[in-house]
Amino acid sequence: MLEKFLQTIEEYNLIEVNEKIVVGVSGGPDSISLLHLLFTIKEKYNIQIYGVHLNHKYRGKEADEDAQYVHEFCTKLKIPCYVYSENVEEYSKKKGRSFEEGGRELRYKYFYEVLRKVGAKKIAVAQNLDDQAETMLMRFMRGSGIEGLCAMDYKRDEIIRPILNIRRKEIEKYCERHGLNPRIDKTNLESIYTRNRIRLELIPYISEHFNRNIKETLFRTSELIREDKKFLDECVKESYNRVIKEEVGKVIIDRLEFNKCHKAIQRRIIRECILYICSDLKNIEKKHVEELIKFIGMARSGSTIDLPKNLISLVKYEKVVIKKRENSKNKDFLYPVEIGKKIYIEELNGYIYGEIVSMDEYNSSNNGKYNMYFDFNETKELFIRNRRNGDKFKPLGLNGTKKLKDYFIDEKIPKDERSEIPILVSDDEILWVVGYRRSSLGKVKKNSERILRVSYIQE
Amino acid sequence: MLEKFLQTIEEYNLIEVNEKIVVGVSGGPDSISLLHLLFTIKEKYNIQIYGVHLNHKYRGKEADEDAQYVHEFCTKLKIPCYVYSENVEEYSKKKGRSFEEGGRELRYKYFYEVLRKVGAKKIAVAQNLDDQAETMLMRFMRGSGIEGLCAMDYKRDEIIRPILNIRRKEIEKYCERHGLNPRIDKTNLESIYTRNRIRLELIPYISEHFNRNIKETLFRTSELIREDKKFLDECVKESYNRVIKEEVGKVIIDRLEFNKCHKAIQRRIIRECILYICSDLKNIEKKHVEELIKFIGMARSGSTIDLPKNLISLVKYEKVVIKKRENSKNKDFLYPVEIGKKIYIEELNGYIYGEIVSMDEYNSSNNGKYNMYFDFNETKELFIRNRRNGDKFKPLGLNGTKKLKDYFIDEKIPKDERSEIPILVSDDEILWVVGYRRSSLGKVKKNSERILRVSYIQE
């Protein structure tokens, strides 16, 4: 394994001589092996290594023992070790992230903190081939073009992943062979819904019925697609510079040049433009990009088109401008709610987050003002939107149906605030007037199989 | 649905006025709807429609009734109908194809026959959005870069797929609404291992746990990737023409120009070169392409490198040549056996095909000279290869182990023929000396859960 590790480092230029390297260490087999491998080549490359561990405070005792173990392991190898503590669960809830996302955010925050403190230039993290395969599957199922299917790279900015091409099994063997006794991260085995389902159910299923080497296969796919992605990026950059003029808060598109570009490049130019103006692509879907491409291609001078994120595009003869519109209040909105994915509601500057939780987790919590539980099997397609004319619902505890308008009047909600109240609907039936009242639909029962928790987080 | 259909036809230029169109009609909801939709727009486009049906002779009575139904349906609409009959199961076995592949080959053979006979220019087939999603999943699991993940297109050569963006559910509703009473293809529900597993198990599973709109999601992904693929194709074509000189049976590569190309383009140029010389890419894996790219990049004049398919590449100063080597006999070979996939063994010009079959199918058949059954659960990674020094095996019915060499001597197989006998191995243990003797390993027992049938087909 050491040989493969060295080969990867050489092939992808991951480490330079005399460098300082920060290593993220959870205490599990992956990161402990990574640390040990780096330690092994310490003299060859004359590198200085710094361990960083985040005690996530989940399952108190075990998390503390993880931190203890990492600290001792580093001390034994005379590697400086930075241990931070933070309640990841609390943090994630507050920020409307999943536990996994929240943990990731915090870890990287501390990695970069140490990076700056010690003057390092690299952060080594311990994702392996199995992780990569899982990432591929996850992204494929969520719907990603080659942007997502290129998955994780060996190197990206300061981050390096020197054991990305090594199987989890090999890593475990390495730990045994060197008597490293890593900790087993219990959170991995239970609480992270999506990734664990992929690891423990989906991959074994695919492996049994379709492709026994599914992990290696997906890993190879990610490598191929990453090359393609890099090539496309270069093409896009070249075209973007030719076609787009950036100004403060807006871009100006040279129509003639834009129309000469291939559709695959046009799509990416549009995304780059929106990234420039808004710094993210939330709520921008394929169909919006398509519309805009058509618009740039054919619309007459003077035409305008509305886009999500409060953007507007207008034609001025041979130029097309994209910029922020001035006022967005009281606009209708509608977003599909996806389980396990935090959805940003631009109009409210808030997030809606739906997740499947266990009966235990449900019992130990309560429905709250911005936190509500439903019987997932009784829901259909979920959306979050603001009110529509004619909305009715069945407030829990009340007999029959009530017009939403009447409910708002009873609740003395001012007219101009009513459009800013998020409403959770299943198909088109109201489940929850967020912050106010739930309907009797989808109530959790004793025998409910799967429980959906929906949270709303105001930024 | 008619509206969407018309929109698709317009957007992708599928049909021109005054055309003749051949329509593949199985008699199922998809093809019957397609035929009916085309009939509906017959006058608008002034098209002439020809139905083609293949009676696959599987489950005799039902297949005959399908053919009967299609014939009557066409007659009612005054559409000329061509019905062909062929035993697809027999054909597929003979050719070493899966039932699905064999059926596909035959259908297209007859589609083109009618196309030529009536002077049509288009063949309309009835794949839908659900089929596309299944194709995506299948290819993703098998391991495909964007070449495969672009999936099926609305139009490719003579083939058009006008209902590719319509859900199966919608199609069924359409049939109901118009009282079309399509036939249900029973073979869909049972015998086609891979696709049905995807349809009936995997997609429902993903849909429940990860993404309820998985089909639409995958469909969108295929559209995005197809655009990227088209763009890349254009780039490759341009570079290929600049870098490659084709001669009879070989290509000559301009090294300097090749090395200037992006890796993503280099990979594809190499594949195009091999396609030119060999007309297929069987047995060419990612690693071979990588090796060759490195070789072209760095090897000194005079160096050579061997590739699969009996290819050789050699450097002549600033040029690199790829061509067929003269003699390939007695070369070692080794191919992984994949369930449900016909593997071509170039060295023998034959195929090996492994599939999972039911206990019934097993009972009604026999182990044959080129047809053998195993307990799938007792096998490990399967390969087909020729003999290696030191090979041993446990012939069924014999006590203990025998050297393969001794077995060959006992069987009086001439020395120079021994390397041309395919051997099925599980990891590195011999399961079957194809055409001769099986080992006692992996014997099917009464309680075997899954039975593997391996067939060898000599072209």
Side-chain angles (χ1 to χ4, degrees):
Chain A
M1 194 161 115
L2 177 62
E3 203 180 323
K4 200 168 184 181
F5 176 72
L6 280 166
Q7 211 181 314
T8 307
I9 287 174
E10 288 298 322
E11 187 168 349
Y12 299 98
N13 263 317
L14 301 187
I15 293 179
E16 278 161 46
V17 174
N18 303 328
E19 268 196 316
K20 290 177 178 173
I21 300 175
V22 171
V23 188
V25 193
S26 72
D30 302 335
S31 59
I32 286 296
S33 299
L34 173 61
L35 195 64
H36 191 264
L37 283 162
L38 286 168
F39 175 76
T40 310
I41 64 162
K42 195 172 180 298
E43 288 184 12
K44 181 177 159 80
Y45 282 89
N46 191 32
I47 46 175
Q48 282 177 267
I49 307 170
Y50 303 85
V52 180
H53 176 81
L54 172 65
N55 180 342
H56 50 50
K57 290 286 175 192
Y58 191 70
R59 308 166 175 273
K61 188 159 159 285
E62 277 163 20
D64 294 344
E65 284 169 7
D66 288 350
Q68 180 74 12
Y69 165 79
V70 170
H71 190 264
E72 281 166 14
F73 189 88
C74 288
T75 308
K76 216 164 58 191
L77 302 182
K78 297 205 176 72
I79 294 170
C81 181
Y82 296 81
V83 174
Y84 296 88
S85 285
E86 191 126 14
N87 189 319
V88 171
E89 205 181 9
E90 258 174 33
Y91 171 89
S92 307
K93 268 191 193 148
K94 216 174 67 189
K95 289 274 190 171
R97 313 281 197 272
S98 68
F99 184 82
E100 196 182 25
E101 280 173 341
R104 207 178 146 277
E105 264 183 33
L106 284 172
R107 281 199 310 278
Y108 276 87
K109 185 183 121 188
Y110 291 117
F111 294 165
Y112 276 98
E113 205 169 295
V114 176
L115 177 106
R116 279 187 296 269
K117 194 185 304 193
V118 305
K121 283 199 176 131
K122 299 269 168 70
I123 296 167
V125 290
Q127 274 102 2
N128 61 33
L129 187 147
D130 295 52
D131 296 322
Q132 182 77 309
E134 289 155 19
T135 301
M136 288 289 283
L137 261 172
M138 197 147 60
R139 295 193 179 169
F140 188 68
M141 291 188 299
R142 273 196 190 153
S144 166
I146 77 171
E147 269 64 29
L149 294 179
C150 62
M152 298 177 279
D153 202 352
Y154 292 98
K155 191 174 176 180
R156 192 195 166 93
D157 305 327
E158 292 81 10
I159 312 296
I160 57 173
R161 295 186 175 86
I163 58 171
L164 189 59
N165 54 358
I166 298 179
R167 287 279 319 245
R168 189 171 291 143
K169 268 196 270 178
E170 282 183 74
I171 290 167
E172 280 160 10
K173 269 190 210 151
Y174 180 90
C175 288
E176 264 177 50
R177 211 162 45 241
H178 293 83
L180 305 182
N181 295 313
R183 302 275 300 169
I184 303 302
D185 187 352
K186 289 275 170 54
T187 52
N188 266 344
L189 293 175
E190 292 167 35
S191 74
I192 303 161
Y193 183 77
T194 307
R195 193 173 276 272
N196 274 324
R197 267 235 130 87
I198 291 177
R199 181 177 303 173
L200 304 174
E201 289 181 19
L202 185 56
I203 288 187
Y205 173 83
I206 293 176
S207 173
E208 189 186 9
H209 295 294
F210 299 105
N211 180 351
R212 285 201 238 184
N213 302 312
I214 181 70
K215 292 183 194 175
E216 286 83 354
T217 297
L218 291 182
F219 183 78
R220 274 201 306 276
T221 303
S222 73
E223 305 258 283
L224 286 176
I225 291 187
R226 201 151 56 239
E227 285 299 345
D228 293 341
K229 163 83 163 55
K230 283 177 185 166
F231 171 70
L232 275 167
D233 283 348
E234 283 179 22
C235 296
V236 171
K237 200 175 162 193
E238 188 268 321
S239 302
Y240 186 90
N241 291 336
R242 206 176 59 244
V243 173
I244 302 296
K245 200 174 140 218
E246 292 178 346
E247 293 194 359
V248 180
K250 67 177 170 188
V251 297
I252 298 162
I253 303 172
D254 182 326
R255 260 179 124 175
L256 214 69
E257 285 295 321
F258 182 84
N259 291 338
K260 276 192 230 155
C261 297
H262 191 279
K263 183 92 178 284
I265 299 297
Q266 289 181 334
R267 262 201 293 126
R268 290 178 167 85
I269 289 180
I270 294 294
R271 291 161 59 97
E272 288 299 318
C273 287
I274 294 171
L275 270 176
Y276 170 75
I277 305 169
C278 306
S279 59
D280 69 61
L281 289 167
K282 276 170 200 152
N283 303 323
I284 297 294
E285 291 167 30
K286 181 172 179 287
K287 65 171 183 207
H288 304 126
V289 176
E290 302 283 314
E291 255 175 52
L292 191 47
I293 290 175
K294 252 190 207 161
F295 177 77
I296 297 170
M298 323 221 290
R300 277 198 215 149
S301 188
S303 316
T304 63
I305 185 177
D306 287 333
L307 296 163
K309 305 177 87 69
N310 200 18
L311 288 168
I312 186 167
S313 177
L314 44 145
V315 184
K316 291 180 177 176
Y317 302 104
E318 75 280 21
K319 304 287 179 201
V320 176
V321 178
I322 308 178
K323 60 179 186 179
K324 279 255 176 198
R325 218 183 302 101
E326 269 69 47
N327 198 332
S328 75
K329 243 195 164 178
N330 292 338
K331 262 214 72 173
D332 277 355
F333 63 85
L334 172 75
Y335 299 91
V337 176
E338 285 178 58
I339 303 312
K341 204 168 157 188
K342 210 188 43 164
I343 307 293
Y344 178 59
I345 306 162
E346 203 210 346
E347 287 82 355
L348 308 178
N349 192 25
Y351 295 90
I352 196 85
Y353 180 61
E355 62 190 325
I356 306 296
V357 300
S358 65
M359 194 44 120
D360 287 345
E361 216 168 337
Y362 167 67
N363 283 331
S364 69
S365 316
N366 282 308
N367 288 330
K369 201 172 169 191
Y370 293 110
N371 212 18
M372 199 59 76
Y373 294 83
F374 302 92
D375 184 334
F376 185 63
N377 290 348
E378 281 192 38
T379 66
K380 295 174 190 160
E381 285 221 83
L382 296 171
F383 295 91
I384 191 86
R385 60 165 172 81
N386 54 357
R387 71 190 177 116
R388 300 283 184 268
N389 279 336
D391 267 346
K392 288 177 204 160
F393 83 130
K394 299 178 182 165
L396 182 65
L398 224 78
N399 272 337
T401 304
K402 196 174 177 111
K403 279 187 189 165
L404 186 62
K405 192 178 167 185
D406 294 341
Y407 174 76
F408 281 155
I409 292 169
D410 294 350
E411 290 290 319
K412 299 192 178 56
I413 299 166
K415 246 183 173 175
D416 60 338
E417 279 173 43
R418 290 177 196 166
S419 294
E420 289 176 66
I421 295 170
I423 293 168
L424 180 73
V425 297
S426 156
D427 264 356
D428 212 17
E429 294 210 83
I430 293 180
L431 290 178
W432 182 25
V433 181
V434 180
Y436 291 90
R437 190 74 164 266
R438 69 169 293 161
S439 100
S440 55
L441 285 175
K443 210 169 157 270
V444 177
K445 287 172 289 297
K446 268 190 189 154
N447 60 348
S448 290
E449 279 171 22
R450 292 188 302 162
I451 296 164
L452 168 73
R453 171 165 61 205
V454 181
S455 318
Y456 176 74
I457 307 104
Q458 185 69 54
E459 271 293 71
Chain B
M1 198 161 113
L2 178 61
E3 204 181 323
K4 201 170 183 179
F5 176 73
L6 280 166
Q7 213 181 312
T8 306
I9 287 174
E10 288 298 321
E11 188 167 349
Y12 299 97
N13 261 318
L14 302 187
I15 294 179
E16 278 160 48
V17 174
N18 302 330
E19 269 195 317
K20 290 177 178 174
I21 300 175
V22 171
V23 188
V25 193
S26 72
D30 303 335
S31 58
I32 286 295
S33 298
L34 173 61
L35 195 64
H36 190 264
L37 283 162
L38 285 168
F39 175 76
T40 310
I41 64 163
K42 196 170 181 295
E43 287 184 11
K44 181 178 158 80
Y45 282 88
N46 192 32
I47 46 176
Q48 282 176 268
I49 307 169
Y50 303 85
V52 181
H53 176 81
L54 172 65
N55 179 344
H56 50 52
K57 290 284 174 194
Y58 192 70
R59 310 166 174 272
K61 187 160 159 284
E62 277 165 20
D64 294 343
E65 283 170 5
D66 288 350
Q68 180 74 12
Y69 166 79
V70 170
H71 190 265
E72 281 167 16
F73 189 88
C74 287
T75 309
K76 217 164 57 190
L77 301 183
K78 298 203 176 75
I79 294 171
C81 180
Y82 296 80
V83 174
Y84 296 88
S85 285
E86 191 129 11
N87 189 320
V88 171
E89 204 180 9
E90 257 174 33
Y91 171 88
S92 308
K93 268 191 191 146
K94 214 174 69 189
K95 289 274 188 170
R97 313 282 197 273
S98 68
F99 184 82
E100 198 182 24
E101 280 173 340
R104 208 178 145 276
E105 264 182 33
L106 284 173
R107 279 199 310 278
Y108 276 88
K109 184 182 124 190
Y110 291 117
F111 294 166
Y112 277 97
E113 206 168 296
V114 176
L115 177 105
R116 279 187 294 270
K117 194 185 304 193
V118 304
K121 282 198 176 132
K122 299 270 168 68
I123 296 167
V125 290
Q127 274 102 1
N128 61 33
L129 187 147
D130 296 51
D131 296 322
Q132 183 78 306
E134 289 155 20
T135 301
M136 288 288 284
L137 261 171
M138 196 148 61
R139 296 195 178 167
F140 187 68
M141 292 189 299
R142 273 194 191 156
S144 166
I146 76 171
E147 269 64 28
L149 294 180
C150 63
M152 298 177 278
D153 201 353
Y154 291 98
K155 190 175 176 180
R156 192 193 168 95
D157 306 326
E158 291 82 10
I159 311 296
I160 58 173
R161 294 187 175 85
I163 60 170
L164 189 59
N165 54 358
I166 298 179
R167 289 276 320 243
R168 191 170 291 144
K169 266 195 271 176
E170 281 182 76
I171 291 167
E172 280 160 8
K173 268 191 210 149
Y174 181 88
C175 287
E176 263 177 50
R177 212 161 43 239
H178 293 85
L180 305 182
N181 296 312
R183 302 275 301 169
I184 304 304
D185 186 352
K186 289 275 169 53
T187 54
N188 264 344
L189 294 175
E190 291 166 37
S191 72
I192 303 160
Y193 184 77
T194 308
R195 193 173 277 270
N196 274 325
R197 267 236 131 86
I198 292 176
R199 182 177 302 174
L200 303 174
E201 289 181 18
L202 184 57
I203 288 187
Y205 173 84
I206 293 175
S207 172
E208 191 186 5
H209 296 293
F210 299 105
N211 181 351
R212 285 200 239 182
N213 302 312
I214 181 68
K215 292 184 194 175
E216 285 83 355
T217 297
L218 292 181
F219 182 79
R220 273 200 306 274
T221 302
S222 72
E223 306 259 281
L224 284 176
I225 292 188
R226 200 151 58 238
E227 285 298 345
D228 293 341
K229 163 84 163 53
K230 283 178 185 166
F231 171 70
L232 276 166
D233 283 349
E234 283 179 23
C235 296
V236 170
K237 200 175 162 194
E238 189 271 320
S239 303
Y240 186 89
N241 291 335
R242 206 177 57 246
V243 173
I244 302 297
K245 202 176 139 214
E246 292 178 347
E247 292 193 358
V248 180
K250 67 178 171 187
V251 297
I252 298 163
I253 303 173
D254 182 324
R255 260 179 124 175
L256 215 69
E257 286 295 322
F258 182 83
N259 292 339
K260 276 192 230 156
C261 296
H262 191 278
K263 184 93 178 286
I265 299 297
Q266 289 181 334
R267 263 200 293 124
R268 290 181 168 84
I269 289 181
I270 295 294
R271 291 161 57 97
E272 288 299 318
C273 287
I274 294 171
L275 270 177
Y276 171 73
I277 305 168
C278 305
S279 58
D280 68 62
L281 289 166
K282 275 170 200 155
N283 303 324
I284 297 294
E285 291 168 28
K286 180 172 179 289
K287 65 171 185 215
H288 303 125
V289 176
E290 303 282 314
E291 256 176 51
L292 190 48
I293 290 175
K294 253 191 204 157
F295 177 78
I296 297 171
M298 324 222 289
R300 277 197 217 148
S301 189
S303 316
T304 63
I305 185 177
D306 286 335
L307 296 164
K309 304 178 87 69
N310 200 19
L311 288 168
I312 186 166
S313 177
L314 44 145
V315 184
K316 290 181 176 174
Y317 303 102
E318 74 282 21
K319 303 287 178 201
V320 176
V321 178
I322 308 178
K323 60 177 186 180
K324 278 255 176 199
R325 220 184 299 101
E326 268 69 47
N327 198 332
S328 73
K329 245 198 165 177
N330 293 338
K331 263 214 74 172
D332 278 355
F333 63 86
L334 172 76
Y335 299 90
V337 176
E338 284 176 62
I339 303 310
K341 203 170 156 186
K342 210 190 43 165
I343 306 294
Y344 179 62
I345 305 162
E346 202 210 348
E347 288 80 357
L348 309 178
N349 191 25
Y351 294 90
I352 196 86
Y353 180 61
E355 62 191 334
I356 307 296
V357 299
S358 65
M359 194 44 119
D360 286 345
E361 215 167 339
Y362 168 67
N363 283 330
S364 69
S365 314
N366 283 309
N367 288 329
K369 200 170 171 193
Y370 293 110
N371 210 18
M372 199 59 78
Y373 293 84
F374 303 94
D375 184 334
F376 185 63
N377 290 347
E378 279 191 40
T379 65
K380 295 173 190 161
E381 284 222 87
L382 296 170
F383 294 92
I384 191 85
R385 60 165 173 79
N386 53 357
R387 69 191 178 116
R388 299 284 183 270
N389 280 335
D391 267 345
K392 288 175 204 160
F393 83 130
K394 298 178 184 165
L396 182 67
L398 225 77
N399 271 338
T401 302
K402 196 177 179 104
K403 279 189 189 165
L404 186 62
K405 193 178 167 184
D406 294 340
Y407 175 75
F408 280 156
I409 291 168
D410 293 351
E411 290 289 319
K412 300 191 176 55
I413 298 167
K415 245 185 175 175
D416 60 341
E417 277 173 41
R418 291 178 195 165
S419 293
E420 288 175 68
I421 294 171
I423 293 168
L424 181 72
V425 297
S426 156
D427 264 356
D428 211 20
E429 296 209 81
I430 293 180
L431 290 178
W432 182 27
V433 181
V434 180
Y436 292 88
R437 189 75 164 264
R438 68 169 293 160
S439 102
S440 55
L441 285 176
K443 210 171 155 267
V444 177
K445 288 173 291 295
K446 267 189 192 158
N447 60 348
S448 291
E449 278 171 22
R450 290 189 302 160
I451 296 164
L452 168 72
R453 170 166 63 205
V454 181
S455 318
Y456 176 74
I457 307 104
Q458 186 69 56
E459 271 295 72

